[in-house]
């Protein structure tokens, strides 16, 4: 497993948003039937016997602001609307078979008034690099992957298991979060929170199925807040935080049984020789940063642990 996440958007992409472009200088247009015809592909059978329809539609980079014309194409299952100027997705309410939706780099400011309650089969949704400040009113009973990176989201209190029961992957990189609290998703497996403003770990005890936690480039001074309820955690990336000493790592002991990869590079801690201390705390680790734990290191850590325990045993 790599210590970098293969993201939907590049690092440059998060900074490149057209937010400040003068819309008067851009030739904007509503969606037309010709555009739809040109973007259709993937012929597939519909729910009606012997009826076929195109189920994939590519409308990226069309300078669109109005997509009302799409509402009659009810058989669409895969839709790419990225790189437009769309603020209103309500015409999608009739696309009840939609499974996959990409709306990256548009002008959405809120999920209020959007049609996600009607998209009951939607499994994959990406709304990266828009203008969202929260996720209120977003629902996704069938969603398995939700990508919201590069927005302005400050709070995530709406992420409840009753609303996102099937969510497995959540991407929130590049937002304005200052805490991990508010994610009540027991079935979540991968959580990406890099490049936020997170100072403390909270509410993680609910993430019992989480295998991957990515917290690179935040403001963490300590790993207090990890929970023994995180029984599945295998990969933890806290690269580029402000962790200064080994004492700040003591919370790792709560996930020692399952953790296999720990990324700690680019922290002030790097100025010390911390690998042995980490291995004594986490004897099951396979890799620290990009370096695989050697048999010699593991043996030395176990020997050091035995000696430490012997020193703690009082003389008779």
């Amino acid at each position: 497993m790599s210590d970098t996440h293969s993201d939907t958007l590049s690092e440059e992409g998060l900074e490149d948003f057209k937010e400040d472009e003068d819309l008067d200088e851009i030739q904007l247009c509503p969606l037309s039937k010709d555009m739809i015809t040109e973007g259709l592909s993937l012929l597939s059978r519909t729910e009606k016997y012997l009826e076929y329809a195109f189920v994939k539609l590519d409308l990226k980079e069309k300078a669109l602001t109005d997509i009302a014309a799409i509402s009659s194409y009810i058989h669409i299952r895969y839709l790419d609307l990225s790189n437009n100027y769309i603020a209103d997705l309500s015409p999608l309410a009739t696309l009840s078979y939609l499974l996959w939706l990409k709306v990256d780099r548009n002008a959405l400011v809120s999920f209020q008034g959007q049609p996600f309650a009607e998209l009951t089969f939607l499994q994959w949704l990406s709304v990266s690099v828009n203008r969202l400040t929260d996720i209120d009113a977003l629902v996704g009973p069938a969603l398995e992957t939700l990508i919201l990176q590069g927005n302005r989201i400050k709070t995530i209190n709406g992420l409840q298991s009753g609303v996102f029961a099937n969510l497995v992957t959540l991407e929130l990189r590049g937002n304005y979060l200052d805490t991990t609290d508010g994610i009540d998703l027991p079935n979540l497996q991968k959580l990406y929170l890099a490049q936020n403003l997170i100072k403390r770990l909270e509410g993680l005890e609910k993430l019992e199925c989480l295998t991957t936690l990515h917290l690179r480039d935040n403001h963490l001074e300590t790993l207090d807040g990890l929970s023994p309820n995180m029984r599945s955690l295998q990969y933890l990336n806290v690269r580029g935080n402000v962790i200064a000493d080994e004492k700040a790592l003591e919370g790792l002991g709560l996930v020692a049984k399952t953790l296999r990869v720990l990324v700690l590079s680019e922290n002030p801690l790097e100025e010390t020789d911390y690998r042995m201390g980490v291995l004594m705390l986490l004897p099951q680790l396979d890799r620290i940063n990009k370096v695989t734990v050697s048999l010699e290191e593991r043996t030395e850590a176990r020997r050091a642990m035995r000696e430490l325990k012997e020193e703690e045993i009082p003389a008779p």
Side-chain angles (χ1 to χ4, degrees):
M1 187 182 295
S2 171
D3 62 354
T4 57
H5 172 46
S6 178
D7 295 307
T8 307
L9 299 170
S10 67
E11 300 287 337
E12 294 78 9
L14 290 177
E15 301 170 357
D16 233 359
F17 184 42
K18 57 204 171 190
E19 173 182 11
D20 298 323
E21 289 184 6
D22 187 349
L23 298 188
D24 293 334
E25 298 177 2
I26 299 170
Q27 186 177 357
L28 302 176
C29 55
L31 181 60
S32 68
K33 185 175 180 179
D34 287 343
M35 288 181 187
I36 294 176
T37 301
E38 181 182 351
L40 285 170
S41 64
L42 190 59
L43 193 64
S44 181
R45 180 178 291 179
T46 72
E47 75 285 0
K48 295 183 179 179
Y49 182 65
L50 294 182
E51 180 182 84
Y52 288 81
F54 289 105
V55 299
K56 185 175 182 180
L57 179 55
D58 185 350
L59 293 172
K60 62 178 179 288
E61 299 178 355
K62 302 293 185 183
L64 297 172
T65 55
D66 182 351
I67 57 171
I70 203 173
S71 60
S72 61
Y73 291 80
I74 61 173
H75 297 295
I76 297 300
R77 299 175 195 170
Y78 309 95
L79 176 59
D80 190 347
L81 292 168
S82 53
N83 291 73
N84 284 291
Y85 298 90
I86 301 165
D88 179 17
L89 296 174
S90 60
L92 302 184
T94 57
L95 277 60
S96 57
Y97 297 105
L98 200 61
L99 301 173
W100 188 99
L101 175 60
K102 187 174 184 180
V103 202
D104 295 351
R105 296 175 178 273
N106 274 280
L108 293 178
V109 297
S110 173
F111 287 114
Q112 298 285 350
Q114 306 295 358
F116 292 100
E118 284 75 34
L119 304 179
T120 55
F121 294 113
L122 190 65
Q123 298 175 13
W124 190 97
L125 173 63
S126 182
V127 195
S128 293
V129 195
N130 277 262
R131 304 173 188 180
L132 300 168
T133 58
D134 58 51
I135 60 169
D136 295 350
L138 176 62
V139 294
L143 269 182
E144 297 177 3
T145 297
L146 176 58
I147 303 171
L148 297 170
Q149 68 187 59
N151 281 283
R152 307 168 183 174
I153 298 170
K154 298 179 180 179
T155 59
I156 47 177
N157 295 325
L159 289 169
Q160 307 297 320
S161 57
V163 182
F164 298 98
N166 293 302
L167 198 62
V168 173
T169 301
L170 176 59
E171 166 64 274
L172 282 161
R173 179 170 68 94
N175 281 284
Y176 297 157
L177 301 172
D178 64 4
T179 176
T180 56
D181 199 21
I183 304 176
D184 183 6
L185 298 170
N187 294 321
L188 193 68
Q189 296 179 19
K190 297 181 180 181
L191 177 57
Y192 300 99
L193 293 169
Q195 296 174 313
N196 275 278
L197 307 171
I198 297 171
K199 299 177 181 178
R200 56 194 182 279
L201 301 180
E202 300 173 297
L204 298 178
E205 66 277 359
K206 302 165 186 174
L207 305 181
E208 298 177 2
C209 292
L210 197 70
T211 62
T212 298
L213 179 55
H214 201 291
L215 288 158
R216 177 179 175 177
D217 296 333
N218 277 284
H219 302 300
L220 293 170
E221 296 181 357
T222 175
L223 296 184
D224 293 345
L226 293 173
S227 169
N229 290 349
M230 302 171 76
R231 301 181 183 91
S232 305
L233 190 64
Q234 300 178 29
Y235 175 90
L236 176 61
N237 189 328
V238 288
R239 177 180 176 179
N241 279 268
V242 287
I243 300 168
D245 55 55
E246 290 185 30
K247 184 174 178 59
L249 303 178
E250 290 179 354
L252 288 169
L254 299 175
V255 293
K257 292 183 179 179
T258 59
L259 198 65
R260 294 295 179 268
V261 177
L262 176 63
V263 183
L264 276 169
S265 53
E266 297 179 22
N267 278 278
L269 179 71
E270 274 201 312
E271 298 177 5
T272 68
D273 184 13
Y274 62 86
R275 281 183 70 90
M276 188 56 58
V278 168
L279 281 174
M280 292 172 66
L281 186 64
L282 302 167
Q284 306 301 322
L285 273 186
D286 293 328
R287 178 160 65 86
I288 302 174
N289 301 329
K290 295 183 178 181
V291 181
T292 302
V293 175
S294 67
L295 178 60
E296 291 77 9
E297 282 182 306
R298 200 180 303 280
T299 302
E300 177 63 20
R302 289 172 178 167
R303 183 190 62 77
M305 281 296 296
R306 285 197 302 269
E307 292 179 354
L308 186 61
K309 289 178 179 179
E310 289 171 358
E311 291 176 3
E312 293 174 351
I313 298 175

